Amino acid sequence: VALITGGDSGIGRSVAVLFAREGADVAIVYLAEDKDAEETKSAVEKEGRRCILVKADVSERSHCHKAVMETVEKFGRIDVLVNNAAFQIHSSDFGELTEEHFDTTLKTNLYGYFHMAQEAVPHMKPGSAIINTGSVTGIDGSKQLVDYSMTKGGIHAFTRALSGNLIGKGIRVNAVAPGPVWTPLNPSDKEADDVSKFGADTPMKRPAQPEELAPAYVFLASPHCSSYITGEILPVVGGY
Ligand code: NAD
């Protein structure tokens, strides 16, 4: 049983579908896009697995509690938590990055991961795994994403620290750090010209498709593949 935040769209959706193909029932947490969430649900069901949708804001502790409880009530357990929801808006002028914007980024990307992990861990048995979505921006920084890069670096540190904390419970904690990926996240606040060049500065000269990220999550979720791996940040960055 996997609980995936931001599973309605992009990387989260492709992880949900590949997890289902590997035999997981999936709970999806999403913020607002009911139609997208329904599409993910039917894609999971086409793989022959069950899917529940939980509309919740991960920046709110009570919503995270609800998401975990609904998953446990429906499926009886949680084996894998994928922390993947994120807020990202570019701001080219550092002086114009508002307190409100900064707050939303930290509340979603850091508090959200913290809340979800703290709520889920009491229900996770030895052999379970947490996978966080970091980013290349958390390694290199991105000048138009100062706040977002801060949170992604924080997620990498959170992954390493939490892995040590949970090792005694037999729960592994790792992160995937994607480079540019073709999802709504970046085009949504960029001009068409910029969008057309998205990912062109990678050695592969293109962004990844979400389906090229999902196998990394399966690898880190499955004890058959990664039982001796915890606290690692796995970059999937097109050759940077
Ligand atoms: P996406 O926009 O397709 O999906 C993000 C999802 O997060 C949204 O659909 C939404 O449901 C969810 N979300 C946002 N705020 C939320 C909140 N407060 N509560 C609950 N859910 C919320 O984007 P994506 O590219 O698939 O992003 C997935 C992850 O990958 C994110 O953590 C992002 O930072 C990371 N990432 C993406 C890229 C990229 O180029 N697309 C690169 C590096 C890292």
Side-chain angles (χ1 to χ4, degrees):
V1 171
L3 172 55
I4 305 173
T5 69
D8 53 325
S9 173
I11 296 169
R13 177 188 284 170
S14 70
V15 171
V17 173
L18 199 56
F19 275 12
R21 198 165 298 159
E22 295 291 336
D25 290 328
V26 181
I28 298 297
V29 173
Y30 71 104
L31 185 61
E33 304 292 337
D34 300 320
K35 200 162 155 277
D36 287 359
E38 285 296 341
E39 264 182 49
T40 303
K41 184 171 189 280
S42 62
V44 166
E45 287 169 352
K46 269 196 201 128
E47 299 295 335
R49 304 307 307 187
R50 295 179 292 172
C51 183
I52 59 165
L53 303 177
V54 186
K55 195 172 188 172
D57 180 345
V58 294
S59 67
E60 301 278 347
R61 158 74 71 168
S62 60
H63 291 208
C64 297
H65 179 74
K66 179 182 99 161
V68 165
M69 293 319 293
E70 284 186 22
T71 307
V72 172
E73 274 157 28
K74 178 72 182 175
F75 295 140
R77 56 197 288 165
I78 298 175
D79 301 300
V80 183
L81 168 66
V82 178
N83 270 321
N84 171 73
F87 176 81
Q88 181 206 83
I89 290 189
H90 293 81
S91 60
S92 43
D93 184 342
F94 178 56
E96 284 175 9
L97 180 54
T98 65
E99 192 79 9
E100 189 190 1
H101 175 165
F102 186 76
D103 228 32
T104 307
T105 310
L106 266 68
K107 281 280 183 190
T108 308
N109 302 5
L110 288 177
Y111 282 66
Y113 281 37
F114 166 67
H115 292 153
M116 287 301 301
Q118 217 174 37
E119 291 292 335
V121 162
H123 303 279
M124 297 176 89
K125 299 224 156 50
S128 302
I130 297 174
I131 307 165
N132 297 318
T133 303
S135 169
V136 66
T137 65
I139 300 167
D140 292 345
S142 168
K143 64 182 181 185
Q144 293 188 347
L145 294 170
V146 171
D147 53 325
Y148 174 87
S149 302
M150 274 175 78
T151 64
K152 290 297 171 174
I155 288 164
H156 296 172
F158 174 60
T159 300
R160 295 190 71 80
L162 190 64
S163 72
N165 195 286
L166 296 183
I167 210 160
K169 293 188 194 296
I171 301 172
R172 296 177 303 106
V173 185
N174 291 288
V176 176
V181 187
W182 193 246
T183 72
L185 195 72
N186 279 288
S188 61
D189 75 327
K190 280 191 170 176
E191 296 301 323
D193 194 39
D194 286 342
V195 173
S196 70
K197 296 185 201 116
F198 181 57
D201 60 348
T202 64
M204 291 196 183
K205 302 197 186 318
R206 65 170 181 87
Q209 292 297 321
E211 290 75 10
E212 294 177 285
L213 270 295
Y217 291 78
V218 170
F219 171 74
L220 292 172
S222 166
H224 297 289
C225 302
S226 59
S227 54
Y228 201 54
I229 299 177
T230 195
E232 296 294 349
I233 318 298
L234 173 57
V236 182
V237 293
Y240 270 125

